[in-house]
Structure formats: C-alpha cells, structure tokens
C-alpha cells in the first residue's frame, strides 16, 4: 500500500480484535478498535477513517443498525461487514444497510485484506480515470470502447461493454444485482436478475477460457457479481 489507510475494527470479541489489529498493522494499515457499535459511533465522530470492519452480531446495537448510522454519518467510508454464516438473508441485509462488501467467519486473512483493498479502490478509485486496464489476458480500452483478449480484439455489444467496464473498474468489489442493473440499464431497472444473468453468460462465453468455470466474472450466490483480476492473487 502506498499510503496508510485508517481502519476501525468493530467487534465484541477482544481476542479477534487483537489478532486483526496485529495482522492489519503488519500489512500497512493503521488500526483502531471498538468493542461495541456505540463506541464505534463515538470514535467516528472524533477522527476520520477510511475503512470500517464491522461485525454483524454484537450485543447492544447490532451491526445492521450500526451500519445504517455509520453510512449516514460517513457517506464515503468503506464498510465491510463480518457475518457468522454464509446466509442469503445476512448478505442482503448487510448490503441494504449500506455495507460495501462482506466476509463470513471463519475467514482467511488474505481474503479479508483483498476485500478491504478492493473497497478502498472503490472509495478512492485510482483506476477510475485509467484509459486502459489490464486483467490477466484481458485489456479494456475505455476511450476506444474496445476489448482485447490475448491481443485479439473481441466484439462486444454496447451493453456488454458497459457491463464489463463497470465490473472491471470495480475489480475485486462485490456489485449487487440491483446496482449493476440500475447503472448499466437505468434507474427503472433493479429486479430483472435473469435478464442480467443472460448478459453475464454472454460475456463469459467471450472472455472466459471455460465459461462453466469462470476466472474473471465470479458469481456471489443470490447477491451479485465480482470481477476477479488473476494478477491480484493474494499470497
């Protein structure tokens, strides 16, 4: 990381907070802890944070209500919710409350860091102004609106290009179905999930070596899609 990012870890388990503080500090983050949502709200009123790692299940104010309040106070902060199980209801609630992404316990530390960095890129998008982006054997030129795979130009329809461009600009970040539909097709869309899936299937046929085992456009079941850059593999 070229600059230090301030992270607030909100969890009611002291051992986990200590582990996260030690591990994230070793990766270049500046970390503060809060043992409750109430304490987190106090801290964000005192100093700025770039990221908040927020546990969903805590005594007192729960993580969902805390996320809503934190998002209202800090519209641009990155919020990653920690859930205890890989359940559709938890994911949907977390995203609906304003979280940018989520991880499920138990999580691998490398995966957590990758999610945090992806949210940071979205919050302060260094790549947003890039004219050309590369990911694996893909190269997308936003100005010329063209895509090359292993140096060969791939024909995309205008909608396919817009969908892939949105995914690649937000690589590593979970994009919910509704956000993809509203951004690419317009504000009147949001529930046409099968319609979106058909476009993703078409894109995978054009960019994936094996569309049945995609390495670029990854499905987050029930929730949305995430663009994976093979060059960003965590050690």
């Amino acid at each position: 990381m070229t600059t230090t990012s301030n992270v607030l870890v909100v969890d009611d388990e002291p051992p986990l907070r200590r582990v996260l503080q030690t591990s994230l500090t070793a990766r270049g983050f500046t970390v503060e802890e809060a043992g409750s949502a109430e304490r987190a709200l106090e801290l964000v009123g005192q100093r700025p944070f770039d990221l908040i790692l927020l546990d969903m299940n805590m005594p007192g104010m729960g993580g969902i209500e805390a996320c809503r309040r934190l998002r209202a106070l800090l519209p641009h902060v990155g919020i990653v919710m920690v859930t205890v199980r890989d359940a559709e209801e938890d994911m949907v609630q977390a995203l609906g409350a304003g979280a940018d992404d989520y991880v499920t316990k138990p999580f691998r530390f490398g995966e957590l860091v990758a999610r945090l960095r992806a949210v940071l890129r979205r919050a302060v998008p260094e790549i947003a102004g890039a004219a050309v982006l590369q990911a694996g054997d893909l190269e997308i030129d936003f100005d010329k609106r063209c895509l090359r795979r292993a140096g060969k130009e791939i024909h995309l329809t205008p909608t396919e290009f817009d969908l892939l461009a949105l995914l690649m600009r937000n690589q590593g970040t979970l994009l919910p179905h509704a956000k993809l539909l509203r951004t690419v097709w317009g504000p009147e869309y949001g529930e046409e999930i099968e319609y979106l899936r058909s476009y993703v299937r078409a894109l995978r046929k054009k960019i994936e070596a094996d569309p049945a085992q995609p390495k670029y456009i990854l499905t987050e079941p029930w929730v949305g899609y995430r663009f994976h850059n093979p060059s960003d593999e965590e050690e």
Side-chain angles (χ1 to χ4, degrees):
M1 296 173 60
T2 55
T3 59
T4 301
S5 298
N6 298 318
V7 182
L8 177 61
V9 174
V10 188
D11 196 291
D12 63 312
E13 299 178 24
L16 180 58
R17 293 203 308 272
R18 286 194 294 270
V19 168
L20 287 171
Q21 180 170 41
T22 300
S23 301
L24 289 172
T25 299
R27 292 294 186 98
F29 294 92
T30 297
V31 183
E32 289 199 46
E33 303 176 23
S36 68
E38 291 82 355
R39 177 59 179 158
L41 289 166
E42 290 178 11
L43 287 173
V44 299
Q46 297 170 6
R47 46 192 167 276
F49 291 94
D50 302 301
L51 286 167
I52 299 173
L53 186 62
L54 177 64
D55 188 43
M56 175 176 279
N57 297 289
M58 293 183 291
M61 184 189 301
I64 295 297
E65 178 59 25
C67 186
R68 290 194 185 98
R69 296 193 187 189
L70 289 165
R71 177 57 70 213
L73 289 170
L74 304 168
H76 303 296
V77 75
I79 300 176
V80 176
M81 188 80 80
V82 179
T83 67
V84 294
R85 60 190 186 278
D86 195 11
E88 176 184 2
E89 182 181 355
D90 282 357
M91 300 174 197
V92 173
Q93 280 191 327
L95 296 170
D100 296 287
D101 206 344
Y102 62 87
V103 292
T104 56
K105 292 181 181 178
F107 51 77
R108 295 172 303 180
F109 184 69
E111 177 190 9
L112 174 63
V113 171
R115 297 287 177 87
L116 292 176
R117 286 177 174 163
V119 170
L120 270 178
R121 283 199 298 266
R122 185 202 61 77
V124 187
E126 295 178 3
I127 64 172
V132 178
L133 280 181
Q134 288 189 314
D137 63 356
L138 299 181
E139 181 181 272
I140 189 169
D141 188 319
F142 298 107
D143 291 340
K144 296 180 180 178
R145 291 182 63 85
C146 70
L147 176 76
R148 287 178 287 275
R149 178 182 167 199
K152 181 181 179 181
E153 188 163 341
I154 303 296
H155 173 72
L156 298 178
T157 68
T159 300
E160 288 172 347
F161 182 89
D162 290 342
L163 177 57
L164 182 61
L166 178 60
L167 287 162
M168 290 187 71
R169 282 194 186 278
N170 293 277
Q171 58 187 256
T173 300
L174 169 64
L175 295 179
H177 297 132
K179 180 176 178 62
L180 289 165
L181 284 160
R182 288 170 184 152
T183 303
V184 175
W185 282 272
E188 67 273 20
Y189 286 81
E191 298 181 0
E192 298 81 358
I193 296 175
E194 190 54 47
Y195 183 65
L196 173 62
R197 285 176 181 150
S198 67
Y199 274 88
V200 170
R201 284 194 293 268
L203 267 179
R204 282 174 171 161
K205 289 179 181 177
K206 294 182 178 183
I207 70 172
E208 302 281 3
D210 180 2
Q213 299 290 330
K215 68 176 183 178
Y216 290 115
I217 302 177
L218 306 184
T219 299
E220 291 280 352
W222 313 296
V223 182
Y225 297 96
R226 186 191 306 272
F227 186 88
H228 173 67
N229 185 344
S231 303
D232 287 344
E233 295 285 355
E234 281 292 319
E235 65 276 8

